[in-house]
């Protein structure tokens, strides 16, 4: 369908539905995030979170490369390529991935161990890989819609950064440099994706599929925190080979 | 490589390595299975297990259809097709899937609800879908090797059936009819797959990849029980939309 088609009545309803999904299902509502926000995590648990989150971050530019491979329109592809650049940087030593490793090292994790992915929970890999597969296989509007958790990330970032700096003496501002860039990147990306889905969801079925795509993505994020909680909080049963924090 | 190539010294070592992986990582070692075996699950927890396991079972014939699509040799493909027939039956009302639904209904679950997959844990879907993707994308020897958990299934089935019949008054022999067929199907399938990988793993690297494929599959099974334990045993935090057993 042409990029300029509008669905006037649908537009505002769809955005409201998407924001409601975020309000109910975004992982700022997860018990693990509540512990983090309330200063109740141990350093070991924060390490486990950062280690696993590295796997997610590492697959974002892969997911976005898959997306680029699905965009025949060079203008759309150019716009989407900024997401890959945000994570990989424009030269060695730059980019979001590098900043996430900086956080991991600041927490006392060995850089090579993190990059090896050896200690990552299988459940993390399954959830993250499902996201990449979704973007590869689903209709384009759903693939784009699955990125819309970025609508809600500035809120959780603000909460996370504030509470971590206030309550964890092993975390300083320099370690959290990753999140600074996200405060401008995420809204820019989310605005683009939201505009795209609102303009292209011209039937109730398409609107439903867009909402289901966002629900899917919230499940990807939620299940990762479930797995972390199970392995490192309660009942504290990490699977074989998973990262075991030093006492 | 020709089907008749042998790797004499390697053969016995590889099988021993694979059996050791099973001894350490197969899900008969999982805490959830221990609870089931020891008669410590509630009916609600057994319902949740059966409901989620239905998703896994439903994707086995899909996984095996993917495998068939990768076998250019008609003889191999015909042999592998038996696995699909085992689950789908040769006519309506037959087959492993039907028998699993019979177990679900015997446990008091609504058949349509089970088939809708609406209550399945996202983590279950991510793990199971990862298995289907593995079989689609990995080198053929690894895809075949990932089925080798069937080497260990007769043992867990015997343990599960015996203990369930002895300790759960809501389970009877008719409900467990699914497992009867598996006691002959699994060894037949496992023998074929084991023979294939032993004959084709003609280098240390191939042997390692076969072992990694089996480890991957044990992670697929283990993480499903992790997710069940987290949602329905301890800390009992099912994600949004997941099956909530009636009191």
């Amino acid at each position: 369908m042409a990029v300029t088609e509008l669905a006037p009545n649908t537009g505002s309803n769809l955005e409201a539905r998407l924001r409601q999904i975020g309000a109910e299902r975004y992982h700022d509502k997860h018990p693990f995030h509540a512990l983090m926000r309330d200063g109740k995590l141990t350093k070991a648990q924060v390490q486990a979170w950062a280690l696993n989150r590295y796997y997610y971050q590492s697959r974002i530019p892969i997911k976005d490369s898959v997306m680029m491979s699905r965009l025949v329109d060079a203008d759309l592809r150019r716009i989407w390529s900024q997401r890959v650049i945000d994570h990989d940087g424009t030269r060695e030593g730059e980019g979001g991935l590098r900043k996430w490793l900086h956080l991991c090292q600041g927490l006392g994790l060995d850089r090579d161990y993190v990059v090896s992915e050896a200690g990552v929970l299988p459940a993390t890999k399954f959830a993250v890989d499902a996201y990449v597969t979704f973007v590869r296989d689903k209709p384009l509007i759903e693939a784009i819609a699955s990125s819309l958790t970025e609508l809600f990330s500035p809120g959780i970032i603000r909460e996370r950064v504030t509470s971590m700096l206030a309550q964890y003496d092993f975390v300083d501002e320099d370690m959290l440099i990753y999140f600074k860039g996200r405060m401008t990147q995420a809204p820019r990306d989310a605005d683009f994706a939201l505009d795209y889905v609102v303009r292209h969801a011209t039937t109730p079925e398409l609107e439903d599929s867009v909402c289901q795509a966002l629900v899917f993505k919230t499940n990807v994020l939620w299940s990762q925190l479930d797995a972390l909680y199970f392995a490192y909080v309660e009942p504290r049963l990490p699977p074989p080979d998973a990262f075991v924090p030093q006492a």
Side-chain angles (χ1 to χ4, degrees), chain A residues 10-27:
Chain A
T10 313
S12 59
N13 288 347
L14 180 55
E15 182 174 343
R17 283 177 72 187
L18 294 169
R19 291 192 181 280
Q20 184 59 27
I21 288 165
E24 292 169 6
R25 314 269 308 233
Y26 190 58
H27 60 168

Side-chain angles (χ1 to χ4, degrees), chain A residues 43-224:
Chain A
K43 181 173 178 178
Q45 289 162 342
V46 178
Q47 285 180 325
W49 168 78
L51 177 91
N52 277 269
R53 175 92 182 233
Y54 176 78
Y55 186 88
Y56 174 75
Q57 298 300 142
S58 74
R59 294 328 192 249
I60 294 299
I62 289 170
K63 180 269 296 180
D64 288 320
S65 299
V66 170
M67 181 72 81
M68 286 172 66
S69 76
R70 300 196 57 189
L71 298 169
V72 181
D73 181 325
D75 292 329
L76 286 179
R77 204 166 52 236
R78 190 180 310 110
I79 290 170
W80 205 273
S81 72
Q82 187 59 46
R83 296 164 180 256
V84 180
I85 292 164
D86 287 346
H87 272 79
D88 292 344
T90 50
R91 54 178 181 266
E92 197 169 349
E94 283 186 2
L97 268 183
R98 182 64 191 81
K99 291 174 187 168
W100 197 267
L101 281 174
H102 181 70
L103 169 58
C104 289
Q105 289 176 282
L107 289 169
L109 290 166
D110 179 75
R111 184 196 186 282
D112 291 342
Y113 177 69
V114 174
V115 171
S116 77
E117 301 169 4
V120 175
L121 296 169
T124 299
K125 295 186 180 182
F126 296 151
V128 171
D129 293 350
Y131 181 30
V132 179
T133 300
F134 188 97
V135 170
R136 178 178 63 192
D137 292 348
K138 289 292 196 173
L140 188 58
I141 193 173
E142 296 176 46
I144 290 173
S146 68
S147 71
L148 283 169
T149 43
E150 286 182 309
L151 288 169
F152 320 116
S153 64
I156 200 177
I157 287 172
R158 247 176 260 121
E159 191 172 69
R160 184 185 292 136
V161 169
T162 309
S163 58
M164 285 183 92
L165 288 176
Q167 300 178 98
Y168 298 109
D169 59 10
F170 52 86
V171 176
D172 62 35
E173 210 171 325
D174 175 67
M175 283 165 63
L176 300 181
I177 197 104
Y178 167 87
F179 295 105
K180 202 174 259 191
R182 296 302 298 152
M183 294 302 289
T184 45
Q185 295 162 359
R188 176 204 71 204
D189 294 342
D191 284 350
F192 178 83
L194 181 61
D195 176 70
Y196 183 95
V197 303
V198 163
R199 281 189 295 108
H200 288 79
T202 52
T203 67
E205 291 76 19
L206 284 170
E207 286 194 1
D208 287 349
S209 75
V210 162
C211 290
Q212 282 312 309
L214 181 57
V215 168
F216 164 82
K217 176 65 175 299
T218 64
N219 290 341
V220 167
L221 299 176
W222 193 276
S223 67
Q224 290 181 66

